[in-house]
Amino acid sequence: MGKSIVTRNYEHHGSKPWYLYCIYNSIKDRTNNPKNIRFSDYGGRGIKMYPSWQNSFIAFREYILTNLGERPDGYSIDRVDNNGSYEPGNLRWATPQQQAINQRKQINNTSGYRGVTWRKDRNKWRARICHGGREIASAYFTTKEEAAHVYEQWALQLYD
């Protein structure tokens, strides 16, 4: 039986470590392919892949291994600035917890801060943090800035 396309590409590009080739293809597809289910969250909102990596897996691999090193167990590629592109200086190996903190705010967020909502019934801003699908902490504040500060402190304690 012949080799699969993935195996041939892996061997052709010298994709060792192999997982970088998968990461590379995934980034390239979601930033360039309008048919990708996640395109609207990436390429559709202006997130690009660094031009010299666009057609060179080798350049991408060399940057990652030279600047970030091998992937630690349980980590994946994350953009430091969640609104920035996949480019030198904006990538890191991150834990799932770090990536959870680095998510963009929900579309319906009116406070401008992650984890902070207005509670009309209490006439106060609420800071709320969840983990594993359960609420961990919740508190009310006069200003959204106070609520955001407390949320940030909770997140640092929970995820670091």
Side-chain angles (χ1 to χ4, degrees):
M1 180 176 242
K3 294 181 181 179
S4 72
I5 292 172
V6 171
T7 302
R8 285 195 311 265
N9 283 338
Y10 170 82
E11 291 172 351
H12 173 72
H13 291 293
S15 308
K16 294 181 182 176
W18 68 269
Y19 62 85
L20 284 177
Y21 190 68
C22 296
I23 291 169
Y24 171 81
N25 279 326
S26 180
I27 292 169
K28 191 172 178 179
D29 197 52
R30 67 180 173 253
T31 57
N32 293 300
N33 180 3
K35 293 182 179 179
N36 183 295
I37 194 165
R38 302 295 310 278
F39 179 79
S40 64
D41 294 322
Y42 292 90
R45 66 183 190 100
I47 294 170
K48 307 280 184 214
M49 181 180 240
Y50 188 60
S52 68
W53 299 343
Q54 196 66 254
N55 295 310
S56 175
F57 165 72
I58 303 296
F60 174 79
R61 181 189 68 197
E62 292 308 309
Y63 173 81
I64 297 297
L65 294 176
T66 301
N67 294 281
L68 305 181
E70 289 282 346
R71 175 182 61 182
D73 285 343
Y75 284 62
S76 59
I77 289 286
D78 183 43
R79 285 169 290 120
V80 176
D81 172 4
N82 193 43
N83 294 312
S85 290
Y86 290 94
E87 60 192 3
N90 196 37
L91 299 180
R92 65 179 176 178
W93 291 119
T95 64
Q97 294 85 359
Q98 289 171 311
Q99 289 198 349
I101 291 172
N102 196 27
Q103 292 176 1
R104 61 187 163 134
K105 295 181 288 295
Q106 297 294 318
I107 294 170
N108 61 352
N109 182 307
T110 58
S111 71
Y113 296 100
R114 188 165 163 70
V116 177
T117 56
W118 176 252
R119 287 294 301 265
K120 189 175 182 180
D121 60 331
R122 294 187 181 223
N123 202 32
K124 296 217 181 251
W125 291 97
R126 176 183 174 191
R128 177 176 180 251
I129 192 163
C130 297
H131 182 69
R134 295 188 357 229
E135 183 176 289
I136 302 291
S138 177
Y140 296 91
F141 301 89
T142 306
T143 69
K144 60 185 175 182
E145 290 78 15
E146 290 174 296
H149 177 74
V150 169
Y151 174 85
E152 187 174 312
Q153 296 305 307
W154 290 340
L156 289 172
Q157 289 174 2
L158 181 63
Y159 295 126
D160 281 344

